[in-house]
């Protein structure tokens, strides 16, 4: 007893890996239910049209078809539209303008890929073949696919409830103070930025398998989801499938999400409805082409921003105007992303006394836009870091020194845009990152590249984000439809092994390992004696899922607090067993001891007695050893860091090679450095992908031109270097563990670092993402 090495804070190998890498994982598409049927959706090939006749007769006659259901039938079902979970008000006080969002369109389609009918058959092949036989009469309407074009007076209006296609015209900050500072500034830098639209591309496509038990009037939904309880609540309270206890949602292994599996989509609604209508379990798994068309996209902002400086090069004001594309409908968090998780981070790491942001969102005939890894924070970081870099070069100041001059130095620090940073040391990670990349030797490397006919540049991206989505009181004031606390239940078994039930969901975050490390240390047991349970609403208590880098600071904090309760009760049991006063009992390294006796008890001994002892004074101690906690943090936590990118550009071809990349991050207390480095690596690759390669592009007819991997360029291993990752530490004060979120940082700091490096190499002011070889070559040619 008491001699196990500490696990938390160490690079313990992932417990999940043997199961996942040997093919023993259980994903939604692996579930095969009795009398299984398959669904194929009939999707609109046209971006905007009124729906006429829907002829299903040929499909119904196809062998193996169980049924064909249309939008008109769904409209008559009594079920409700999909809904957005966040209310935003325009600056004049009006609520946002929300159009209809049916799960199956019955009157009008508004983007290519929108479902209008579903075919259910005995096999996947039969369902797909029959779906091709459904004939839909479309009366085409004008199309608008660009957010700026959607504002034109003659633009077609997608929703009658939203004149001018405007959802809201929102603001934050003090406009008058910013205008005054701009008027009085010694220097003003202005820039126009495009934050390119992205497709999430999780490894596992979205999948659903729905069944209905008529004898119990109960649904079971297997689904690839980041938030099973939240989805169940939405299906019950919003869509109208009945009370929650009549719905079971199961999300076992999920192959990545990046935010795109946190929403309520049409497919799970339709499959549940069809399962009850047809009396068969209904499974649907997206084709990759369907994923491109129907998974909620990310980003898609056009921003004009101005930065004001005084004569001493101190930043005095920031003015931001953003047009955000919502797509055809408001997705679950679509209204939140361009507002309270974007504009509230526009202070970056800098002490900016005056900030004003105006965000106008509009509907277009494109796939709905929602949270994608970082969700607003990458957009904000890109605006701030491009502005700061351009301003430094205009002023003739070293970009690193300009940043140092304007860093926030004292904490807590209240920004002009609603956030209060509780801790940080921004210069520490900037200095460490520059040292790791050998910034002092950069000019020699630049000259060596020049001698070979290449151009070399160095770029910095200093980011900060609000992570640990969860302060319910604050979020309620900002329009959230629900509190975002987290829950944990710990069950200590009679033999001393432990089951941890968490409301968070793991889809690549390594909860089975990191959560077990903490619990093992708290109880002085082996990591192998801890099992983490999640993802089944019949097994796990209500929780809020995983997104917004919340599973460590919020979810693990709830587990830690439940451990406190277990220890407190176990100390009382130990006191009874040792026949000593309870206030003399201590617990350390898995042993209970007291100054009143030489006897000691191990954790497993106390656990066994908690269930088997016959003589507890039950008025003071109940049998058993199980505790539950709900943790609602008082505020966000604020991860921050510095990413430095060094690129080499071939001016003859425009090809950009990332020669070096350093990421130094302050994540507070780190539970498993190996896991955290993996999270950083994944985020960096996605951020570099946005900066250099990825873009979802539509033509004027609303057709997605980049609808497959032939046209949408994903980063590969040879597109990125070996990353150098480092850490600094300042503890968060908003959770008991001192942790800060780590899952999204890589995608926030890397895009501006890459673009800043390219601009430095080419000696140009700006280049829009993605900086493709053609775009870079044209910039080189223009500069020449």
């Amino acid at each position: 007893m008491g001699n196990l090495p500490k696990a938390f804070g160490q690079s313990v190998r992932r417990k999940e890996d043997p199961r996942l890498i040997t093919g023993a994982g259980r994903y939604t598409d692996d579930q095969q239910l009795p009398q299984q049927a398959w669904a194929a959706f009939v999707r609109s090939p046209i971006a905007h049209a009124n729906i006429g006749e829907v002829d299903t007769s040929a499909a119904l006659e196809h062998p193996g078809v169980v049924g064909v259901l249309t939008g008109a039938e769904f409209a008559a079902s009594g079920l409700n539209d999909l809904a957005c979970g966040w209310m935003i008000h325009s600056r004049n006080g009006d609520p946002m303008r929300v159009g209809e969002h049916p799960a199956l369109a019955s009157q009008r389609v508004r983007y290519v890929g929108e479902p209008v009918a579903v075919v259910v058959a005995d096999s996947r092949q039969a369902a797909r073949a029959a779906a091709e036989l459904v004939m839909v009469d479309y009366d085409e309407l004008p199309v608008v696919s660009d957010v700026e074009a959607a504002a034109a007076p003659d633009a077609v209006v997608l929703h009658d409830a939203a004149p001018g296609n405007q959802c809201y015209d929102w603001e934050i900050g003090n406009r008058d103070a910013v205008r005054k500072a701009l008027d009085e500034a010694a220097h003003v830098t202005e820039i126009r930025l495009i934050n390119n639209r992205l497709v999430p591309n999780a490894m596992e496509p979205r999948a659903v398998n729905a069944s209905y038990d008529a004898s119990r009037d109960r649904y079971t939904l297997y689904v690839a989801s980041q938030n099973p309880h939240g989805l169940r609540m939405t299906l019950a309270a919003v869509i109208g499938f009945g009370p929650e206890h009549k719905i079971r949602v199961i999300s076992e292994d999920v192959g990545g999400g990046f935010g795109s599996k946190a929403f309520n989509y049409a497919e799970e609604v339709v499959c549940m409805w069809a399962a009850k209508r047809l009396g068969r379990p209904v499974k649907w798994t997206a084709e990759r082409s369907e994923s491109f068309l129907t998974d909620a996209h990310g980003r898609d902002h056009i921003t004009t921003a101005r930065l004001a400086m005084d004569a001493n090069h101190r930043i005095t004001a920031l003015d931001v105007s953003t047009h955000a594309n919502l797509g055809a409908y408001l997705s679950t968090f679509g209204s939140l992303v361009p507002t309270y998780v974007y504009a509230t981070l526009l202070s970056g790491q800098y002490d900016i006394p005056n900030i004003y942001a105006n965000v106008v969102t509009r509907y277009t005939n494109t796939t709905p836009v929602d949270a994608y890894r970082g969700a607003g924070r990458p957009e904000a970081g890109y605006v701030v870091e491009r502005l700061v870099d351009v301003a430094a070069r205009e002023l003739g100041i070293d970009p690193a020194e300009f940043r140092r001059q304007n860093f926030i130095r004292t904490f807590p620090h209240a920004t002009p845009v609603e956030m209060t940073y509780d801790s940080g040391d921004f210069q520490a990670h900037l200095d460490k990152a520059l040292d790791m990349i050998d910034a002092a030797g950069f000019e020699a490397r630049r000259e060596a590249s020049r001698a070979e006919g290449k151009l070399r540049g160095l770029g910095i991206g200093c980011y900060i984000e609000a992570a640990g989505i969860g302060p319910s009181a604050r979020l309620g004031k900002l329009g959230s439809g629900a509190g975002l606390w987290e829950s944990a239940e710990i069950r200590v078994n009679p033999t001393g092994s432990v089951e941890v039930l968490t409301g968070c969901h793991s889809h690549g975050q390594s909860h089975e390992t990191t959560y077990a490390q903490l619990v093992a240390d708290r109880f002085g047991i082996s990591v192998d004696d801890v099992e983490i349970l999640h993802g089944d609403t019949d097994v796990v208590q209500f929780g809020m899922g995983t997104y917004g880098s919340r599973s460590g600071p919020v979810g693990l904090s709830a587990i830690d607090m439940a451990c406190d309760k277990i220890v407190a009760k176990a100390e009382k049991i130990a006191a009874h067993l040792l026949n000593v006063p309870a206030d003399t009992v201590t617990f350390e390294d898995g042993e209970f001891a007291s100054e009143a006796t030489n006897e000691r008890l191990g954790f497993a001994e106390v656990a066994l007695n908690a269930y088997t002892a016959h003589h507890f004074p039950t008025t003071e101690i109940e049998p058993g050893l199980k505790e539950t906690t709900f943790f609602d943090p008082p505020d966000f936590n604020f991860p921050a860091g510095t990413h430095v990118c060094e690129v080499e550009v071939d001016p003859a071809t425009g090809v950009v090679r990332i020669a070096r990349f350093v990421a130094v991050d302050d994540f507070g207390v780190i539970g498993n450095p190996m896991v955290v480095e993996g999270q950083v690596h994944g985020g960096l690759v996605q951020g570099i992908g946005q900066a250099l390669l990825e873009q979802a592009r539509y033509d004027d007819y609303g057709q997605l031109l980049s609808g497959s991997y032939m046209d949408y360029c994903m980063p590969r291993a040879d597109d990125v270097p070996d990353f150098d990752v480092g850490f600094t530490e300042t503890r968060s004060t908003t959770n008991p563990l001192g942790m800060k979120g780590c899952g999204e940082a890589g995608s926030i700091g890397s895009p501006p670092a890459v673009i800043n490096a390219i601009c430095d190499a080419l000696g140009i002011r700006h280049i829009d993402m993605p900086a493709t070889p053609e775009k870079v070559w044209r910039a080189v040619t223009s500069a020449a």
Side-chain angles (χ1 to χ4, degrees):
M1 295 185 297
N3 57 3
L4 288 174
K6 293 296 184 182
F8 195 69
Q10 304 303 311
S11 293
V12 175
R13 295 182 68 176
R14 286 175 22 116
K15 296 177 65 177
E16 301 92 329
D17 283 346
R19 181 181 83 253
L20 297 176
I21 65 178
T22 59
R26 287 175 58 83
Y27 297 90
T28 297
D29 193 57
D30 294 328
Q31 305 296 335
Q32 192 79 355
L33 302 177
Q35 294 188 298
Q36 184 72 67
W38 280 261
F41 284 86
V42 179
R43 300 185 183 278
S44 172
I46 296 168
H48 201 193
N50 288 324
I51 298 173
E53 182 182 359
V54 180
D55 183 356
T56 64
S57 57
L60 285 168
E61 294 175 0
H62 190 276
V65 169
V66 177
V68 181
L69 303 174
T70 66
E73 290 172 277
F74 183 84
S77 70
L79 296 173
N80 300 316
D81 282 359
L82 305 178
C84 178
W86 211 284
M87 171 55 71
I88 300 296
H89 289 82
S90 290
R91 52 183 170 171
N92 66 1
D94 289 347
M96 63 187 187
R97 300 164 178 171
V98 182
E100 63 176 2
H101 190 182
L104 285 179
S106 61
Q107 297 181 328
R108 186 192 294 190
V109 290
R110 294 178 172 87
Y111 69 97
V112 172
E114 183 168 3
V116 298
V118 63
V119 176
V120 179
D122 289 331
S123 70
R124 183 179 280 124
Q125 294 76 14
R128 290 172 180 168
E132 297 289 337
L133 302 177
V134 176
M135 305 303 295
V136 183
D137 181 20
Y138 294 105
D139 181 13
E140 293 193 44
L141 298 170
V143 171
V144 59
S145 58
D146 176 79
V147 68
E148 290 183 319
D154 59 347
V156 64
V157 175
L158 273 70
H159 299 279
D160 294 340
N165 294 310
Q166 181 178 299
C167 180
Y168 54 77
D169 179 352
W170 177 85
E171 67 178 357
I172 192 171
N174 189 325
R175 179 171 55 179
D176 292 338
V178 167
R179 287 179 175 175
K180 183 174 184 294
L182 287 166
D183 291 340
E184 296 174 353
H187 183 85
V188 174
T189 293
E190 182 171 341
I191 194 168
R192 184 178 187 271
L193 304 168
I194 295 175
N195 208 291
N196 41 320
R197 179 185 279 239
L198 304 173
V199 178
N201 285 307
M203 185 178 295
E204 177 204 20
R206 286 192 296 116
V208 175
N209 197 350
S211 65
Y212 176 73
D213 183 346
S215 67
R216 301 174 64 200
D217 185 27
R218 196 165 195 257
Y219 298 91
T220 299
L221 177 69
Y222 293 90
V223 61
S225 174
Q226 299 175 222
N227 186 8
H229 278 99
L231 177 58
R232 183 181 71 160
M233 180 173 64
T234 300
L235 292 169
V238 177
I239 304 301
F241 278 108
E244 285 171 280
H245 70 280
K246 294 293 187 180
I247 304 170
R248 180 184 185 185
V249 176
I250 303 172
S251 298
E252 292 191 60
D253 291 318
V254 174
F258 314 124
S260 68
K261 293 176 182 171
F263 320 131
N264 183 194
Y265 286 97
E267 289 82 6
E268 54 241 24
V269 172
V270 173
C271 287
M272 287 179 65
W273 170 62
K276 183 175 182 179
R277 277 282 300 265
L278 302 174
R280 297 273 296 276
V282 177
K283 179 194 288 189
W284 169 80
T285 300
E287 298 267 333
R288 188 57 68 174
S289 58
E290 286 183 289
S291 297
F292 273 93
L293 288 172
T294 65
D295 288 6
H297 292 177
R299 317 292 192 247
D300 206 347
H301 286 191
I302 298 176
T303 295
T304 300
R306 295 182 293 169
L307 193 69
M309 282 74 66
D310 64 18
N312 296 317
H313 305 151
R314 295 299 301 267
I315 299 172
T316 59
L318 172 62
D319 181 52
V320 175
S321 174
T322 294
H323 288 81
N325 192 341
L326 295 175
Y329 299 101
L330 265 180
S331 184
T332 307
F333 300 113
S335 60
L336 166 68
V337 175
T339 52
Y340 288 113
V341 292
Y342 162 65
T344 56
L345 276 302
L346 285 170
S347 190
Q349 298 183 9
Y350 309 107
D351 187 359
I352 306 177
N354 304 293
I355 300 176
Y356 174 75
N358 174 224
V359 178
V360 178
T361 57
R362 297 188 191 277
Y363 297 105
T364 64
N365 294 117
T366 61
T367 299
V369 177
D370 209 314
Y372 171 67
R373 197 168 193 167
R377 281 72 56 89
E379 295 92 317
Y382 187 67
V383 170
V384 174
E385 288 304 288
R386 284 299 295 126
L387 260 180
V388 166
D389 219 64
V390 171
R393 298 182 191 282
E394 287 180 351
L395 293 168
I397 304 172
D398 175 69
E401 187 55 40
F402 183 60
R403 287 171 167 86
R404 288 190 187 96
Q405 189 173 346
N406 286 282
F407 276 154
I408 296 164
R409 301 285 180 177
T410 59
F411 298 89
H413 174 85
T415 75
V417 280
E418 302 285 348
M419 291 296 180
T420 299
Y421 304 161
D422 65 313
S423 64
D425 186 345
F426 303 149
Q427 181 160 330
H429 46 70
L430 173 62
D431 291 348
K432 184 172 181 176
L434 292 174
D435 181 64
M436 287 175 63
I437 207 165
D438 184 23
F442 170 71
E443 287 302 328
R445 297 193 296 275
R446 191 202 291 268
E447 287 303 317
S449 293
R450 186 175 288 124
E452 296 179 357
K454 304 291 178 62
L455 305 173
R456 187 172 285 253
L458 191 72
I460 298 171
C462 294
Y463 76 91
I464 192 167
E465 60 162 323
I469 302 298
S472 298
R474 289 207 60 196
L475 295 177
K477 293 178 181 178
L478 303 181
S480 173
L484 294 177
W485 39 263
E486 196 45 77
S487 66
E489 180 178 308
I490 294 182
R491 301 172 181 170
V492 181
N493 297 317
T495 58
S497 64
V498 177
E499 296 172 344
V500 178
L501 288 72
T502 174
C504 287
H505 186 278
S506 184
H507 42 277
Q509 290 82 3
S510 306
H511 293 174
E512 292 177 43
T513 304
T514 306
Y515 284 10
Q517 288 177 252
L518 176 73
V519 174
D521 278 7
R522 291 300 310 273
F523 298 151
I525 61 178
S526 168
V527 169
D528 293 331
D529 289 332
V530 182
E531 183 178 8
I532 308 301
L533 303 174
H534 71 101
D536 186 337
T537 59
D538 268 15
V539 174
V540 177
Q541 73 288 343
F542 195 103
M544 302 307 295
T546 294
Y547 41 84
S549 298
R550 70 190 306 272
S551 57
V554 187
L556 194 53
S557 290
I559 292 171
D560 185 59
M561 294 167 70
C563 288
D564 289 339
K565 292 183 177 181
I566 292 287
V567 170
K569 181 175 181 180
E571 286 177 340
K572 293 179 181 179
I573 296 172
H576 177 73
L577 296 172
L578 294 170
N579 196 26
V580 298
D583 60 4
T584 69
V585 175
T586 60
F587 179 66
E588 186 176 359
D589 294 334
E591 291 186 332
F592 295 89
S594 169
E595 60 186 14
T597 179
N598 290 327
E599 188 178 355
R600 292 171 176 267
L601 294 172
F603 182 75
E605 292 177 85
V606 172
L608 182 62
N609 277 276
Y611 292 94
T612 62
H614 301 291
H615 50 278
F616 279 150
T618 54
T619 56
E620 299 175 19
I621 307 172
E622 294 180 351
L625 200 52
K626 181 181 79 169
E627 295 290 349
T628 299
T629 293
F630 289 78
F631 174 59
D632 194 349
D635 207 339
F636 301 105
N637 59 81
F638 294 92
T642 298
H643 294 180
V644 185
C645 178
E646 188 170 323
V647 301
E648 188 177 63
V649 180
D650 183 347
T653 63
V655 171
V656 175
R657 179 179 70 89
I658 298 179
R660 299 182 176 192
F661 201 105
V662 167
V664 178
D665 301 288
D666 177 4
F667 296 138
V669 174
I670 292 175
N672 186 317
M674 179 189 69
V675 167
V676 171
E677 284 195 29
Q679 289 288 309
V680 172
H681 284 194
L684 292 177
V685 172
Q686 286 179 284
I688 291 169
Q690 176 174 16
L692 296 180
L693 305 168
E694 298 182 49
Q695 182 167 20
R697 186 184 295 276
Y698 287 87
D699 67 13
D700 292 341
Y701 300 98
Q703 296 293 330
L704 181 62
L705 300 178
S706 49
S708 75
Y709 291 131
M710 294 293 290
D711 306 294
Y712 187 96
C713 188
M714 292 280 287
R716 292 176 168 83
D718 61 352
D719 291 313
V720 297
D722 289 334
F723 299 118
D724 292 323
V725 175
F727 303 110
T728 61
E729 181 184 312
T730 59
R731 294 178 64 96
S732 172
T733 64
T734 61
N735 65 79
L737 295 173
M739 302 182 80
K740 303 179 183 182
C742 69
E744 297 164 296
S747 63
I748 301 172
S750 55
V754 173
I755 297 300
N756 287 341
I758 293 172
C759 291
D760 180 51
L762 273 54
I764 60 175
R765 194 171 188 270
H766 181 62
I767 187 170
D768 275 321
M769 299 187 292
T772 60
E774 179 188 358
K775 198 179 294 184
V776 172
W777 178 83
R778 291 185 182 279
V780 171
T781 303
S782 298

